[in-house]
Structure formats: structure tokens, C-alpha cells
Amino acid sequence: APGAKTFSDIPISLWKFLPPAIDLTRGQVETANIRVKSMLYNMISETSIAHDFVPGGELGVPPPGYPSSKLLYREHDAHALLSFSVYYKRFSHRHITGLMNCDFISIRTCKEIEGKFCGYIESQYHKKVLITGPMFPEPNKSKPLEAKWSHWLSGFGQGSIVYCALGSQNTDLEKDQFQELCCFGSHCGFGSMWESLMSDCQIVLLPFLADQVLNTRLMSEELKVSVEVEREETGWSSKESLSVAITSVMDQDSKIGSLVRRNHSKLKEVLVSDGLRTGYTDKFVGTLEYLVNNT
């Protein structure tokens, strides 16, 4: 795909060609003669790193000492692992090499969400792990809705609208499949996960790719702030399964709905508490300065 720079610029079927294409730029980087003092390396969620990118591990199988019995792949997740398997060896080699050769590991999360996975990564790589804090933007409560959306929403009862956010990388859905799912649910990509935690909406998750599956299990089974849509053996979720999941969180009399609403509200209160973000930021900056100057 001409002009493609990231995975989100190309369909999943072509992802395997992006790493070799990036490799071809090695000569240009070497001849640029750039002197680098420090480099930040962007990765995926900590749950995925802990499960999929620990030395000696393998795709779909939890490594020794993995700190969760819930954040695991299951038989009906084969569809999610299939697209990843075509480039897993090359992809995992890059990540593991980067983690093994770095001076320290910086992770954009917080202990309240992924603390035990950060600790596991630190123990497996024998590297200092710096936690930067929550990955969500500052809430802007003063910005009003556009008039057209405000008018449209006013025609419905509070909390009755269903919103569909499947992410920029889930481009393999056929039109009829997408229409069957609209319009609700999140694919639970790492960014969407944080955004959903900061909202007041009930969360229904429909993961498509490998890391999204583990993010979903974190939200639904560890934190219990969301509901995962049940999948068939084929890996596809029907509109009936989606309807059951949505009803379970939106029905005021639902036990599951009450549980996830209560847990979600408590967790959001912690994440927006005064000093949480600045505390992480101050500690991260201080430790980073020390490590950079003494490495």
C-alpha cells in the first residue's frame, strides 16, 4: 500500500509485508549518522507483552509464572491469533530483542490497572520498569456538543443510546457483518480501553485481534467493569449474542449490569482522583532523569 507508515494504514492481509519494508530503510538510517542518546520504543499493552513476548514463550500459550489464570486465549480465540501468527516470529523477535537490550522499560499504564503484569515483565527481563501513569486525556467537561448531536440525543432517554467503536485496524469486516453488529461495542484496543474506562457508559467488548482479546479479559474478568460478547466456535459473534451482552449491562435489574456499573464507577473514581496522574508523572520524570544520566 503506497504511503503506508503503520499497521492501521493497511489491511490485515498485508501486515506481514510491513516489517520487511521497514527493514529496507536500514541503510538510510545508518548513513544518516544520527547520534542517539535515548530512544523511546512504542509497544502494545502490558498484558500482551507479559503473555506473548516473554523469552521462551510461544504464541497463545502463557509463559511460566504468568500472573493470571483469567487473561488467557481460548479455543474460540483462534480467529484472533490466526492473523497474528503469520508474522509472530518476526514481530516477537523484534520486541524481545528490544526489551532485552534496552537500559530500562517504560510502560504507559498504572498499577491500579496492570500492576501485576508490570511486575512480571520486570522480573522476566530483569530491567527497571517505569510506569508513566494512566493513558487517558484530561476530561474536558466544558466543551458542548455540536448542535446537531445535541438535538438528536434529546430525542432519546438518558443512557439509552448504543455507540459502536470498532477501531481503525478492524477493516476486515464485510458490510453485512458490520451492519449486523451496529451499532454498539468496542474492539478493546489499548487506547479504546482507556477511553471507555473514563466514560460513564456501560462497556460491551468484541475483540478481533490477539492483544484485544487479552485486554478484553482484563476488563471483563479481572476488573469486572465490562461484558465480553460470546463467540461461536467459528469465532464470529451473532447479533443474538451481541443483544444478550448489551441487555445484560443496560438492564437496570440485571445482576451483571449492576456489578459492572458499580466496579466501573469505583475504578473511574480512582483514576480521576487528585494527584494520581501528577504523582505518576513526577516519579517517572525523576527516575528517567536519573537513569539517563547514570547509564
Side-chain angles (χ1 to χ4, degrees):
K5 298 180 180 179
T6 69
F7 284 122
S8 61
D9 295 328
I10 55 179
I12 293 177
S13 60
L14 299 179
W15 279 11
K16 62 183 178 181
F17 298 115
L18 186 58
I22 294 175
D23 288 343
L24 294 175
T25 67
R26 178 173 181 172
Q28 300 174 39
V29 175
E30 291 177 338
T31 57
N33 194 28
I34 301 174
R35 300 184 65 182
V36 179
K37 183 176 177 63
S38 62
M39 179 173 64
L40 298 178
Y41 179 47
N42 185 33
M43 296 192 72
I44 51 182
S45 69
E46 286 56 63
T47 54
S48 293
I49 297 173
H51 190 288
D52 298 328
F53 300 111
V54 166
E58 57 182 295
L59 181 61
V61 180
Y66 181 67
S68 176
S69 61
K70 299 176 181 177
L71 270 69
L72 304 171
Y73 296 110
R74 294 162 189 161
E75 290 185 7
H76 60 263
D77 296 322
H79 71 288
L81 293 172
L82 183 62
S83 60
F84 193 24
S85 64
V86 295
Y87 62 93
Y88 172 74
K89 288 186 177 180
R90 182 187 292 267
F91 197 61
S92 62
H93 173 73
R94 291 165 184 266
H95 282 303
I96 292 174
T97 299
L99 289 167
M100 293 184 68
N101 290 280
C102 67
D103 295 316
F104 54 86
I105 301 170
S106 173
I107 294 179
R108 192 177 183 185
T109 187
C110 63
K111 292 181 179 180
E112 291 77 5
I113 302 295
E114 298 180 293
K116 64 183 178 182
F117 298 100
C118 296
Y120 179 69
I121 293 170
E122 189 170 66
S123 68
Q124 294 300 301
Y125 281 97
H126 307 289
K127 308 274 185 181
K128 179 67 176 177
V129 170
L130 308 184
I131 302 178
T132 68
M135 187 187 164
F136 51 79
E138 291 289 352
N140 186 352
K141 299 180 180 179
S142 61
K143 185 177 180 180
L145 284 173
E146 292 183 37
K148 63 177 181 179
W149 296 120
S150 179
H151 176 72
W152 183 78
L153 288 170
S154 66
F156 300 90
Q158 185 174 358
S160 64
I161 300 299
V162 176
Y163 175 66
C164 180
L166 296 179
S168 59
Q169 293 182 329
N170 297 316
T171 56
D172 57 338
L173 286 179
E174 298 295 336
K175 182 179 180 181
D176 60 338
Q177 293 176 325
F178 186 79
Q179 289 177 335
E180 183 167 330
L181 292 180
C182 292
C183 151
F184 185 87
S186 170
H187 63 307
C188 206
F190 199 42
S192 297
M193 181 183 82
W194 288 98
E195 291 174 4
S196 66
L197 286 173
M198 295 307 297
S199 75
D200 293 320
C201 299
Q202 307 316 313
I203 309 169
V204 173
L205 300 175
L206 185 65
F208 288 87
L209 306 178
D211 63 313
Q212 298 166 6
V213 170
L214 295 180
N215 293 342
T216 294
R217 304 280 148 77
L218 172 67
M219 295 275 282
S220 298
E221 301 190 25
E222 286 275 354
L223 302 175
K224 291 183 170 56
V225 297
S226 64
V227 170
E228 179 180 359
V229 178
E230 184 178 343
R231 289 187 180 275
E232 300 173 358
E233 292 183 2
T234 59
W236 174 243
S237 295
S238 67
K239 59 185 177 184
E240 289 79 14
S241 296
L242 185 65
S243 177
V244 168
I246 293 174
T247 302
S248 72
V249 296
M250 296 189 73
D251 187 345
Q252 294 298 317
D253 297 324
S254 166
K255 292 183 179 180
I256 295 177
S258 297
L259 175 66
V260 298
R261 281 193 295 271
R262 183 168 61 251
N263 290 339
H264 184 184
S265 178
K266 289 180 179 179
L267 184 56
K268 180 184 175 183
E269 186 176 347
V270 171
L271 294 176
V272 299
S273 60
D274 291 339
L276 180 78
R277 180 190 290 240
T278 55
Y280 272 110
T281 302
D282 291 345
K283 184 177 181 180
F284 171 74
V285 172
T287 307
L288 181 63
E289 289 179 345
Y290 175 82
L291 290 173
V292 169
N293 294 326
N294 292 275
T295 299

